[in-house]
Amino acid sequence: MPASHYTVSDVMTHTAIAIGRDAPYKEIVALLDQWKVSALPVLEGEGRVVGVVSEADLLPKEEFRLDEPRPGEFGEAAKAGALRAGELMSSPAVTVHADATLAEAARIMATRKVKRLPVVNEIGMLEGVVSRSDLLKVFLRTDGEIEEEIRRSVLGESAAPAGLDVSVLEGVATLRGGLADPSLVPLLARAVRAVEGVVDVRMRLGAHEDAA
């Protein structure tokens, strides 16, 4: 069964706002506010990503303005005196490639607890930025678009059982028809779920009805 064909390049912002190592603190804050983003890639040379400055990197200046750091907070407190991007940034940057799947990008964001990822090529040059909201764009696909893709890429496969049909309502795909072999139910459900924009899968396959 086919897998999702959407990659980071399909949803990312290709024109990314970035800064150099010498960008001053207040300029960084102003750029974050102006462009309504939570982090900025830090570049050097011809555009190689060497780090990222996020809101979390900037907050220690306010957090430790009056209070002394407690044990375990000295690393964060050190950034309270930082003045430029090179001192503030988290490095090395957590990045992703343009040909990564949306699931891979989402997994990186979740495990590394970041909201945005610089998109880089094979030598680390900036190509764009992908955010959490970008990854959710696939759920803006219409029910008709999703339904058409399931028919084409899942039910149109030579390996798919004949006599099946699909309907999609609010992103929930429902497969209907007769299915002689119950072992195919999880395989069909997995293939349908792999279609970008599917929120959930329901199986109404004769005697083998299931909410997959």
Side-chain angles (χ1 to χ4, degrees), residues 3-13 96-110 117 119 129-141 193-198:
S4 167
H5 61 276
Y6 276 68
T7 64
V8 166
S9 64
D10 294 312
V11 299
M12 74 184 194
T13 301
V96 70
H97 292 296
D99 60 357
T101 67
L102 302 192
E104 289 169 338
R107 194 171 298 116
I108 293 171
M109 288 184 187
L117 292 171
V119 183
V129 171
V130 65
S131 67
R132 290 176 178 176
S133 60
D134 290 329
L135 298 184
L136 293 174
K137 287 177 181 177
V138 293
F139 293 104
L140 297 177
R141 299 182 75 194
R193 195 180 295 279
V195 173
E196 296 291 359
V198 170

Side-chain angles (χ1 to χ4, degrees), residues 141-148 150-151 166-174 176 192 197-200:
R141 299 182 75 194
T142 67
D143 290 340
E145 290 172 332
I146 298 169
E147 191 174 297
E148 181 183 350
I150 294 171
R151 285 202 176 97
V166 63
S167 61
V168 179
L169 180 62
E170 296 185 354
V172 178
T174 301
R176 292 183 174 86
V192 173
V198 170
V199 175
D200 202 359

Side-chain angles (χ1 to χ4, degrees), residues 10-195:
D10 294 312
V11 299
M12 74 184 194
T13 301
H14 290 266
T15 304
I17 306 302
I19 53 177
R21 285 180 179 270
D22 292 330
Y25 185 98
K26 290 195 69 172
E27 178 184 323
I28 299 168
V29 175
L31 285 171
L32 292 177
D33 180 68
Q34 178 184 351
W35 295 98
K36 308 304 178 190
V37 295
S38 58
L40 294 170
V42 181
L43 309 182
E44 70 176 8
E46 297 298 317
R48 187 168 62 87
V49 179
V50 293
V52 171
V53 175
S54 69
E55 293 168 332
D57 296 315
L58 299 170
L59 281 176
K61 190 171 291 292
E62 182 63 29
E63 182 181 355
F64 299 106
R65 183 180 300 279
L66 300 175
D67 296 337
E68 291 295 321
R70 292 170 292 187
E73 294 181 333
F74 296 107
E76 285 185 60
K79 290 190 176 184
L83 299 176
R84 298 191 179 275
E87 304 165 306
L88 290 159
M89 69 183 185
S90 298
S91 181
V94 181
T95 62
V96 70
H97 292 296
D99 60 357
T101 67
L102 302 192
E104 289 169 338
R107 194 171 298 116
I108 293 171
M109 288 184 187
T111 56
R112 301 301 295 269
K113 295 180 173 58
V114 295
K115 299 177 181 178
R116 296 165 61 83
L117 292 171
V119 183
V120 299
N121 63 14
E122 295 78 7
I123 58 174
M125 306 292 281
L126 184 67
E127 295 189 328
V129 171
V130 65
S131 67
R132 290 176 178 176
S133 60
D134 290 329
L135 298 184
L136 293 174
K137 287 177 181 177
V138 293
F139 293 104
L140 297 177
R141 299 182 75 194
T142 67
D143 290 340
E145 290 172 332
I146 298 169
E147 191 174 297
E148 181 183 350
E149 182 174 342
I150 294 171
R151 285 202 176 97
R152 182 183 68 252
S153 65
V154 179
L155 302 186
E157 287 280 302
S158 58
L164 295 182
D165 196 20
V166 63
S167 61
V168 179
L169 180 62
E170 296 185 354
V172 178
T174 301
L175 279 182
R176 292 183 174 86
L179 190 63
D181 186 356
S183 67
L184 293 177
V185 170
L187 297 178
L188 282 169
R190 187 180 307 163
V192 173
R193 195 180 295 279
V195 173

